Amino acid sequence: GQQVMQIPQYQHVQEGEDFTTYCNSSTTLSNIQWYKQRPGGHPVFLIQLVKSGEVKKQKRLTFQFGEAKKNSSLHITATQTTDVGTYFCAVHYGNNRLAFGKGNQVVVIP
Amino acid sequence: EPEVTQTPSHQVTQMGQEVILRCVPISNHLYFYWYRQILGQKVEFLVSFYNNEISEKSEIFDDQFSVERPDGSNFTLKIRSTKLEDSAMYFCASRNRGGNTEAFFGQGTRLTVV
């Protein structure tokens, strides 16, 4: 099945700093979604990227889809304690399968 | 705001017992999913359901698992004979149409098999 690899798996980020998390595929993706799961919570949809080279912004979050549609990144600026959680990328493939990467667990250091 | 609801929030069961996890998807949604997340690990796809039948299932979803949409609102996951390794958080999700739209997740059921 289609796999997406996320790097890094863990990040410790000082409050106020920026960080980036990456999602990579060996095959071309039709689209990619990003979800955030707070500790003890459930995955919550953040964004969907569809077009080659697409960039979308949500306040301090910037999402990019690579030109070859094989990778994506999420960049967060001026990290806040509310950014703590695990960020997953997810892809649709097959008949009706939404598959998640292993996630990037982010710890924010006050 | 509409949401996916799951019951119970926590279930403890003895190994070998059957459990049924219940979900009420968002009312106008057409695609339904079950996922499993072992503590601290990835969100693993189990099964998807559309038009009253399974559309995809993973290798985890073996004969001891089944899903049902018995009455047009509930969506259930049954585990026939639970094993210790079935202990996990089980999430139900739904989405409203094709075109790879976002999935809305319930709060999850934490299943503990003892």
Side-chain angles (χ1 to χ4, degrees):
Chain A
Q2 195 157 61
Q3 301 269 355
V4 284
M5 305 299 293
Q6 288 193 247
I7 50 171
Q9 278 195 279
Y10 302 97
Q11 287 197 68
H12 286 75
V13 184
Q14 196 76 41
E15 191 174 4
E17 292 187 346
D18 304 350
F19 73 92
T20 305
T21 182
Y22 300 90
C23 184
N24 300 314
S25 169
S26 57
T27 58
T28 303
L29 303 170
S30 59
N31 63 81
I32 194 160
Q33 296 181 348
W34 285 90
Y35 290 77
K36 178 184 177 183
Q37 184 179 27
R38 292 182 186 275
H42 60 282
V44 175
F45 176 82
L46 294 176
I47 205 93
Q48 175 167 280
L49 304 170
V50 178
K51 298 177 188 170
S52 167
E54 189 170 14
V55 177
K56 286 188 178 179
K57 294 194 178 201
Q58 290 179 351
K59 297 183 182 176
R60 295 179 295 104
L61 279 61
T62 301
F63 302 85
Q64 276 193 297
F65 203 8
E67 293 289 340
K69 297 180 76 172
K70 288 185 175 181
N71 51 66
S72 180
S73 64
L74 161 57
H75 181 74
I76 298 182
T77 58
T79 302
Q80 299 175 358
T81 54
T82 52
D83 295 324
V84 67
T86 302
Y87 294 84
F88 293 96
C89 60
V91 295
H92 279 96
Y93 71 98
N95 190 19
N96 183 21
R97 185 184 295 226
L98 177 61
F100 283 68
K102 289 189 175 181
N104 176 198
Q105 187 176 340
V106 174
V107 173
V108 179
I109 305 162
Chain B
E1 185 177 312
E3 58 181 18
V4 176
T5 56
Q6 289 186 243
T7 54
S9 55
H10 190 186
Q11 175 136 14
V12 181
T13 188
Q14 288 208 321
M15 193 168 55
Q17 295 294 305
E18 175 184 285
V19 294
I20 297 177
L21 310 183
R22 301 180 193 280
C23 169
V24 180
I26 295 172
S27 63
N28 63 340
H29 284 191
L30 303 175
Y31 299 83
F32 314 113
Y33 302 84
W34 282 101
Y35 288 85
R36 177 179 85 176
Q37 186 176 37
I38 294 168
L39 186 64
Q41 298 188 26
K42 68 182 285 189
V43 178
E44 296 179 291
F45 171 82
L46 291 177
V47 66
S48 59
F49 194 86
Y50 170 70
N51 202 23
N52 285 320
E53 60 184 21
I54 290 174
S55 38
E56 289 247 11
K57 58 183 181 179
S58 73
E59 44 289 339
I60 302 169
F61 194 88
D62 60 22
D63 291 346
Q64 72 159 343
F65 290 91
S66 61
V67 289
E68 228 181 10
R69 188 158 159 79
D71 57 11
S73 62
N74 290 284
F75 180 50
T76 62
L77 173 70
K78 183 193 288 187
I79 309 175
R80 274 181 253 290
S81 176
T82 48
K83 302 192 270 272
L84 293 175
E85 54 265 37
D86 293 326
S87 295
M89 183 72 96
Y90 288 80
F91 290 107
C92 171
S94 69
R95 62 186 182 96
N96 67 353
R97 64 183 190 277
N100 303 327
T101 50
E102 66 182 276
F104 291 80
F105 281 75
Q107 304 281 348
T109 294
R110 178 166 299 284
L111 177 65
T112 304
V113 182
V114 296

